[in-house]
Structure formats: C-alpha cells, structure tokens
Amino acid sequence: MNQLVKRHPKRAVYGFTLLELLVVMVIIGLLAAYVGPRYFSQVGRSEIKMAEAQIGALETALHQYRLDVGSYPTTEQGLVALVTSVNNEPRWHGPYLSKLPPPDPWGRPYIYKYPGDQSEFDLFSLGKDGQPGGEGEAADITNW
C-alpha cells in the first residue's frame, strides 16, 4: 500500500521577481494618480459644505437671539453673545448655542458684522486662502 502513494519531491518556494514587484508598483502608482485628485477635490468640497452648514446654524441662532432681544448682537459683542449674556441683557434667554462657535474648517474664526454691508448682518468665512474674494476653494463662504 505504501508503494501506491507517490511521493512528491519537495517543491522549492520562490519569491517574486524584481520585475513582478516593479509591475505591481507601477499599477498601484497609476491607480493612485487616477484616484488621488478625485479624492482630494472631494475633501475641498466637503470643507466648503461644512462651512456653509455652520454659517446656516449660526444664522439660525442669530435670528433666535434677535427674536428674544430685539436686535442682533453688535459687531463688538460678536458671536459670543449667542453663548453668554453680554452687558446683562434682560431679554436674553440663551444660550442660543451649546458652546462657543467653532472655527471655520480652515481653523479661522467666522467674521460677523452688524449692521452688515451685504445684508442685515454679515457672517462669513474667507475660505481656504484666508483672503477676501477668490474662486473655487479660496472663495468666501457667506450668508448673503
């Protein structure tokens, strides 16, 4: 019975050749070059969408503040007036936000101005570049 069982000679285990590794690395590089720009453009758009959403939430809190107090906070009072009563305002029924307003997605505070130049109040972020104006990801995100 032992004679019927064929014994296979030990097979040698070989690794990948340098050429095979280089081909795989080139394929991975091509995939990264194709997918990378699409992914990073999505990141830029998501930052813009997040800034727009935050400005919308701050606008809602500012409108609620105005309904209670009778006017929007002054530029000097700023967005802090949505969290704590400034000047012991008797009609203040806040806080209108659970915590201080977050910075914009690029780490800078939102700019608030009352009375505004563009609308009743101006609330905006200067975008990725931090400079007024701009296009694309560098464009200002505003409430007007």
Side-chain angles (χ1 to χ4, degrees):
M1 191 158 175
N2 283 341
Q3 294 174 351
L4 295 176
V5 176
K6 289 187 178 181
R7 295 205 174 239
H8 295 286
K10 285 189 176 180
R11 293 185 182 182
V13 178
Y14 296 103
F16 294 105
T17 65
L18 181 59
L19 182 61
E20 290 170 330
L21 290 175
L22 288 174
V23 168
V24 169
M25 290 175 62
V26 166
I27 291 171
I28 290 172
L30 289 172
L31 287 172
Y34 178 72
V35 173
R38 292 175 185 254
Y39 171 74
F40 287 112
S41 70
Q42 293 293 335
V43 171
R45 277 188 263 165
S46 68
E47 289 173 332
I48 292 169
K49 292 284 186 195
M50 183 168 35
E52 290 171 347
Q54 288 175 339
I55 286 175
L58 291 172
E59 265 189 305
T60 301
L62 285 163
H63 291 311
Q64 185 63 45
Y65 179 95
R66 183 183 62 86
L67 287 173
D68 288 349
V69 175
S71 68
Y72 293 105
T74 64
T75 302
E76 293 76 30
Q77 291 171 329
L79 299 174
V80 173
L82 299 173
V83 181
T84 59
S85 177
V86 181
N87 300 331
N88 294 321
E89 175 62 49
R91 293 181 291 174
W92 190 86
H93 298 293
Y96 302 95
L97 295 174
S98 60
K99 57 185 177 181
L100 287 173
D104 69 12
W106 302 279
R108 292 181 294 275
Y110 286 99
I111 300 168
Y112 170 73
K113 184 177 178 185
Y114 176 76
D117 297 327
Q118 305 295 327
S119 64
E120 197 166 8
F121 63 87
D122 293 347
L123 179 62
F124 59 98
S125 165
L126 295 175
K128 186 174 185 176
D129 65 351
Q131 302 296 320
E135 296 179 9
E137 291 181 25
D140 298 347
I141 296 103
T142 67
N143 69 319
W144 60 86

